Amino acid sequence: MSHDTYELKAEAREQVGKGSARAVRRNGKVPAVIYGDKQPPLAIALTYKDIYYKIHGGGFLTTVATIDVDGNKIQVLPKDFQLDPVKDFPVHVDFLRIGKDTEVNVDVPVHFINEDKSPGIKRGGVLNIVRHEVEFHCPANAIPDFITIDLTGTDIGDSIHISAITLPAGVKPVISDRDFTNATIAGSSAMKPEAAEETTEAAEPEAAPAAEEK
């Protein structure tokens, strides 16, 4: 299921706005906001180093965290962040406050296994990934790290739809009006020669019998 939780220490910010945010950054911290769970938004400042490594460490937007705001511990899920377009460092983070029944929409990565057990890929077919991530609706405290697609037995021309994937309890795709495709196995010019020859031979008509001499 979801990544191991972690804790961040933060300070409450009394002032908000662009001027306040710039002052926070000048002091080596990152401005952020905690909102949701029917409570007023809470402006905070996070330590730059802590949040930088969490954002760039992977799984940031799918991992529930605890923020210690001056001794008050709040469970949250990161919902969005902004990076400096040039230097790539964090300039602002939004957190969703998590209650016991909170459910969220979140993008979950797709992992593929058993490519070596796919007859189509063995013959030179190519895995065409349509969706590297899928948006799911699920409990905030039960977000999967990823979903797994097993390629065992797949052949050229096969499509893998969301209905064929086993999902954890309580996890449902946000797109519910169609059985969308996650990946296909497509043919390629790199297919093994014997496979191509078999296809060619099957397509060639048998030679007509020679006419008898009179």
Side-chain angles (χ1 to χ4, degrees):
M1 298 301 287
S2 58
H3 298 266
D4 292 337
T5 188
Y6 58 89
E7 183 171 309
L8 296 171
K9 288 190 176 295
E11 300 171 356
R13 290 191 290 140
E14 294 183 1
Q15 297 180 337
V16 295
K18 292 183 179 180
S20 173
R22 283 194 293 265
V24 169
R25 297 186 192 105
R26 282 197 299 268
N27 290 328
K29 296 184 181 293
V30 179
V33 174
I34 300 174
Y35 66 94
D37 200 29
K38 299 180 181 179
Q39 298 184 43
L42 175 62
I44 60 173
L46 297 159
T47 301
Y48 170 82
K49 184 178 179 180
D50 289 346
I51 199 65
Y52 176 89
Y53 285 110
K54 291 302 180 185
I55 288 175
H56 292 285
F60 181 64
L61 296 178
T62 58
T63 305
V64 173
T66 299
I67 298 183
D68 184 339
V69 185
D70 303 323
N72 179 28
K73 295 190 176 184
I74 306 170
Q75 197 171 39
V76 300
L77 178 70
K79 290 299 293 179
D80 195 13
F81 60 87
Q82 290 82 48
L83 300 177
D84 182 273
V86 177
K87 299 181 180 179
D88 205 36
F89 55 72
V91 296
H92 191 272
V93 186
D94 289 333
F95 293 98
L96 175 67
R97 190 182 279 106
I98 299 299
K100 64 175 184 174
D101 299 319
T102 301
E103 296 188 346
V104 295
N105 291 349
V106 62
D107 290 326
V108 177
V110 179
H111 288 188
F112 295 86
I113 61 172
N114 293 327
E115 289 190 34
D116 59 332
K117 296 181 181 179
S118 164
I121 293 176
K122 282 185 175 180
R123 290 194 294 117
V126 175
L127 173 62
N128 175 36
I129 301 175
V130 179
R131 295 174 183 268
H132 291 271
E133 294 182 329
V134 176
E135 187 178 15
F136 289 105
H137 184 80
C138 57
N141 59 359
I143 300 171
D145 288 345
F146 53 84
I147 60 168
T148 301
I149 293 180
D150 190 345
L151 298 173
T152 300
T154 55
D155 210 339
I156 293 171
D158 286 351
S159 296
I160 303 162
H161 298 93
I162 190 64
S163 62
I165 302 169
T166 301
L167 300 175
V171 177
K172 300 177 181 179
V174 171
I175 298 175
S176 59
D177 60 345
R178 64 185 186 279
D179 190 14
F180 56 86
T181 301
N182 277 91
T184 63
I185 308 297
S188 79
S189 57
M191 288 178 65
K192 293 183 178 180
E194 56 267 28
E197 287 173 6
E198 289 175 5
T199 304
T200 303
E201 289 175 1
E204 289 179 353
E206 294 184 3
E212 295 182 2
E213 293 184 1
K214 293 184 178 180

